[in-house]
Amino acid sequence: MMQASNQNDPRRALIHSVADLEEQEALALVQARLEVKDNPLSIIEDCQEGLRQVGERYERQEYYLSGLIMAGEIFREVMEILAPIIKVQFTGNESGTILLGTAQGDIHDIGKNNLSLLLTGYGFTVYDLGVDVPPEKFLSEALETRPDIIGISGLLTGSYDSMRATVSLLKAAGDPQIAATPVIIGGNQLNE
Ligand code: B12
């Protein structure tokens, strides 16, 4: 249930409803914020904070795996509501190409899909390789598509090794253009 202290603060209310896995309440709060023309990106930010708190509760064993699954499901539903609005609001001319995938061993794809949505909106052509992508797959697809940027998403600390292996393979493959292609990595646990 919505806590009294949240009632006048729509941002905190949304964060808490996601963290508490209150699906219907979260979706209603998203709709309410859209009705007052709130920025969809700040709605995403708040859901992300809610998910971060879900992760903390999972670590404290207050939630089990089903909690993570439920949180992912709520976010997916929120994105279903927001995606069409984002597509209209964020537009750009042809900006370039990006090859994107989640690192080997990692199946988290919500953040990657959000990035893909935003980049597509800004005019990028996104080649999305999906999740659990081995280094060899990044390389073969890079050789095929010749992207301007390569992006690797990873949320598990365990996926950093495969990110490193992917970057090494791309640099060592003997193709100067691929070796010079910038690689960006992202995901909740990573800092600049
Ligand atoms: C939802 C969730 C799941 C869902 C994922 C559903 C899906 N389709 O993605 C499911 C249930 C599948 C899941 C599974 C697991 N999970 Co999980 N999960 C989460 C949770 C709660 C939210 C992640 C999320 O989607 N956040 C919202 C998105 C929008 O944020 P984001 O991914 O960080 O992305 C943003 C930016 O980082 C950026 N970004 C993302 N990628 C990229 C890439 C580039 C190139 C750029 C520029 C930017 C960028 O874009 C986004 C901004 O919009 C996190 C908690 C957390 N703190 O993140 C745990 C968390 C990541 N999971 C965790 C764990 C342990 C697991 C499991 C191992 C659990 C288990 N025992 O099985 C499995 C792993 C399965 C596997 N092999 O991958 C741990 C990881 C701990 C660690 N240090 O490694 C976390 C941190 C929870 C915790 N605190 O313990 N999980």
Side-chain angles (χ1 to χ4, degrees):
M1 282 300 291
M2 204 185 298
Q3 286 159 20
S5 61
N6 290 328
Q7 269 167 1
N8 296 325
D9 185 343
R11 297 200 67 166
R12 277 188 55 186
L14 181 56
I15 293 170
H16 285 166
S17 66
V18 173
D20 291 343
L21 304 174
E22 293 283 357
E23 179 186 19
Q24 292 312 320
E25 188 176 301
L27 296 177
L29 288 165
V30 168
Q31 294 288 9
R33 282 176 61 176
L34 288 174
E35 271 160 34
V36 295
K37 302 268 178 283
D38 204 340
N39 182 349
L41 295 186
S42 82
I43 297 178
I44 292 181
E45 232 171 71
D46 295 339
C47 291
Q48 200 174 337
E49 171 56 23
L51 254 56
R52 200 191 57 74
Q53 294 185 12
V54 169
E56 279 178 1
R57 293 187 194 184
Y58 171 78
E59 272 180 87
R60 292 200 298 266
Q61 298 183 355
E62 293 165 22
Y63 285 158
Y64 300 101
L65 185 57
S66 56
L68 296 184
I69 295 172
M70 188 65 208
E73 182 56 19
I74 294 175
F75 207 108
R76 191 190 59 72
E77 289 179 83
V78 169
M79 286 313 296
E80 243 171 49
I81 301 173
L82 297 182
I85 298 161
I86 289 174
K87 276 185 193 148
V88 173
Q89 282 189 6
F90 298 88
T91 53
N93 298 323
E94 182 57 46
S95 310
T97 55
I98 179 165
L99 182 67
L100 190 61
T102 299
Q104 186 169 35
D106 196 329
I107 62 164
H108 294 87
D109 66 357
I110 297 173
K112 170 184 73 62
N113 294 345
N114 281 1
L115 180 70
S116 172
L117 177 72
L118 287 174
L119 289 177
T120 306
Y122 280 118
F124 274 87
T125 300
V126 180
Y127 302 110
D128 190 341
L129 303 179
V131 298
D132 190 16
V133 181
E136 298 75 22
K137 177 84 177 160
F138 272 107
L139 175 61
S140 62
E141 294 292 330
L143 289 167
E144 175 88 20
T145 57
R146 305 260 154 205
D148 298 313
I149 305 169
I150 297 167
I152 314 174
S153 180
L155 270 77
L156 300 175
T157 25
S159 58
Y160 301 161
D161 285 343
S162 80
M163 286 183 169
R164 201 175 291 120
T166 302
V167 174
S168 304
L169 187 67
L170 292 165
K171 302 287 173 216
D175 183 306
Q177 190 195 354
I178 298 297
T181 305
V183 181
I184 51 170
I185 58 173
N188 190 290
Q189 317 279 318
L190 294 167
N191 57 30
E192 280 181 38

